[in-house]
């Protein structure tokens, strides 16, 4: 997560043309593409770095900022504004020496950059460090309970408590785990995006779970007790006589944990899918024939 030299990532010179950058990116991207390197974490990391470098260097405006300010390129506009304000301040100080009124420049830095530092009598703007972004892949079963996980970010081990019920795509912020600030400014933050892989038979929608259950014809007609799988085990369920195909039932509190609300769970919704027998014995055929005759009486 340290500062990355985008030119080195793409293997080009700082004077490279736009066409050379594009050519280098395409060549390197093909080499490290995840489809050509399945289950290769290093290739995946390099591919992400290539995309990041290309996004900056292939954009003329972003490249100009990057060349001028390096790792602080995202703060380029703030730096430029700081320079303009400093020039105005110096001009007002010269006017003040001749009896002018100039405003105190410190107010600008305190409101714009959250403070100031002095170096050799000159005020320096404080900038917050660059934020880091990371992606954490988890299985749906892992986020059913609160658990701890250790991540290594920029050489530092960060021990996280991951609350039960975290959602796919959810982003959390860990303050102060980004890049160091400049001019004495605070560190940036770390943003972690969760990718939740679901390899279960359940469909999740926030704290609710959904499933389709095959129900045999006889249980649908006559009713009875069946055993169904929930996320944390099996439960017995009573089927009402005459249950129709597509009937939905709700098991209250048998869904997924509610995020950061201990001991609270969503509901579990089951949809019955009645299975019609496809191969009948002779005896079964006789009985169904008798039933059909009774139905027409």
């Amino acid at each position: 997560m340290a500062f990355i030299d985008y030119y080195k990532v793409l293997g080009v010179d700082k004077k490279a043309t736009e066409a050379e950058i594009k050519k280098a990116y395409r060549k390197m991207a093909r080499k490290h593409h995840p489809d050509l390197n399945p289950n290769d974490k290093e290739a995946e990391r390099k591919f992400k770095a290539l995309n990041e470098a290309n996004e900056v260097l292939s954009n003329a405006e972003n490249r100009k900022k990057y060349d001028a300010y390096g790792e602080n390129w995202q703060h380029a506009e703030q730096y430029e504004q700081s320079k303009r304000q400093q020039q105005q301040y110096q001009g007002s100080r010269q006017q003040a020496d001749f009896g002018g009124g100039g405003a105190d420049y410190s107010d600008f830095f305190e409101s714009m950059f959250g403070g100031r530092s002095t170096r050799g009598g000159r005020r320096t703007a404080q900038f917050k460090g660059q934020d880091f972004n990371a992606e954490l892949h988890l299985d749906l079963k892992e986020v059913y309970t609160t658990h701890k996980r250790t991540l290594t970010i920029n050489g530092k081990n960060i021990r996280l408590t991951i609350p039960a019920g975290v959602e796919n795509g959810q982003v959390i912020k860990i303050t102060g785990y980004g890049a160091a600030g400049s001019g004495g400014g605070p560190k940036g933050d770390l943003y972690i995006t969760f990718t939740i892989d679901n390899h279960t038979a359940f469909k999740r929608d926030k704290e609710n779970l959904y499933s389709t259950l095959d129900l045999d014809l006889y249980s649908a007609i006559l009713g009875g007790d069946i055993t169904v799988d929930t996320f944390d085990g099996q439960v017995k369920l009573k089927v009402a006589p005459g249950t129709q195909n597509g009937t939905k039932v709700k098991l209250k509190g048998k869904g997924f944990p509610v995020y950061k609300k201990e001991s609270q769970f969503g509901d579990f919704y089951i949809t019955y899918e009645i299975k019609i027998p496809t191969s009948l014995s002779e005896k079964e055929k006789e009985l169904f024939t008798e039933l059909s005759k009774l139905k027409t009486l």
Side-chain angles (χ1 to χ4, degrees):
M1 287 288 194
F3 169 66
I4 301 174
D5 187 330
Y6 292 145
Y7 290 101
K8 287 185 178 180
V9 170
L10 292 176
V12 297
D13 186 81
K14 290 187 177 182
K15 297 180 180 179
T17 64
E18 184 178 344
E20 289 172 335
I21 289 173
K22 184 180 295 185
K23 181 179 179 181
Y25 166 72
R26 288 177 176 173
K27 179 181 178 181
M28 298 289 284
R30 281 196 298 268
K31 179 180 178 181
H32 298 290
H33 197 285
D35 290 346
L36 301 178
N37 301 273
N39 302 318
D40 188 336
K41 295 296 183 182
E42 180 62 17
E44 182 181 351
R45 183 191 66 77
K46 289 182 178 179
F47 185 73
K48 289 181 179 179
L50 286 167
N51 282 320
E52 182 179 330
N54 182 60
E55 286 178 7
V56 174
L57 298 185
S58 63
N59 182 296
E61 187 64 28
N62 287 342
R63 183 181 180 182
K64 181 179 178 182
K65 295 176 182 178
Y66 179 79
D67 289 342
Y69 298 102
E71 61 184 300
N72 296 308
W73 71 273
Q74 292 178 314
H75 299 299
E77 293 182 4
Q78 292 171 297
Y79 275 108
E80 292 297 334
Q81 185 175 6
S82 171
K83 287 181 180 179
R84 290 194 296 270
Q85 293 288 347
Q86 189 173 21
Q87 290 172 354
Q88 293 175 5
Y89 168 70
Q90 290 173 345
S92 67
R93 286 295 299 270
Q94 291 174 356
Q95 292 178 5
D97 291 340
F98 293 95
D104 190 349
Y105 190 39
S106 65
D107 293 340
F108 165 73
F109 277 102
E110 290 183 356
S111 61
M112 190 73 182
F113 303 111
R116 67 186 187 278
S117 63
T118 57
R119 186 176 300 170
R122 297 174 58 190
R123 292 181 173 85
T124 304
Q126 296 180 349
F127 292 98
K128 178 183 176 183
Q130 184 176 356
D131 294 330
F132 288 159
N133 293 279
E135 187 173 341
L136 179 59
H137 286 259
L138 296 171
D139 191 83
L140 187 63
K141 293 180 179 179
E142 293 182 281
V143 294
Y144 187 76
T145 57
T146 298
H147 69 284
K148 295 184 182 297
R149 180 65 64 95
T150 300
L151 299 181
T152 301
I153 306 294
N154 199 26
K156 296 180 180 179
N157 290 331
I158 305 174
R159 190 165 175 79
L160 301 176
T161 297
I162 302 175
V166 67
E167 294 191 44
N168 184 50
Q170 185 171 340
V171 180
I172 64 171
K173 181 180 79 171
I174 303 179
T175 303
Y177 277 84
S182 59
K187 290 183 177 181
D189 302 318
L190 169 63
Y191 290 87
I192 299 177
T193 301
F194 289 94
T195 298
I196 311 299
D197 299 315
N198 184 2
H199 302 292
T200 73
F202 305 96
K203 180 182 177 182
R204 180 190 179 192
D205 183 8
K206 296 183 179 179
E207 66 270 16
N208 293 325
L209 293 175
Y210 299 83
S211 180
T212 299
L213 179 67
D214 291 342
L215 189 66
D216 66 86
L217 179 63
Y218 310 106
S219 296
I221 295 173
L222 302 175
D225 295 327
I226 61 173
T227 300
V228 299
D229 292 322
T230 67
F231 208 90
D232 63 346
Q234 294 184 323
V235 297
K236 287 186 176 180
L237 184 62
K238 186 175 291 294
V239 178
T243 294
Q244 301 296 305
N245 187 55
T247 296
K248 291 182 174 61
V249 294
K250 180 177 76 172
L251 300 183
K252 187 173 179 61
K254 298 301 291 184
F256 218 73
V258 180
Y259 181 68
K260 284 193 174 181
K261 292 186 178 180
E262 190 175 353
S263 301
Q264 292 190 32
F265 292 79
D267 301 321
F268 178 31
Y269 294 86
I270 299 173
T271 300
Y272 288 131
E273 189 172 287
I274 299 174
K275 294 299 181 182
I276 304 299
T278 56
S279 60
L280 298 174
S281 65
E282 291 301 319
K283 182 62 176 180
E284 286 175 322
K285 289 179 181 179
E286 290 177 10
L287 292 174
F288 273 110
T289 300
E290 290 296 321
L291 286 172
S292 67
K293 290 178 181 179
L294 290 174
K295 191 67 176 178
T296 57
L297 294 178

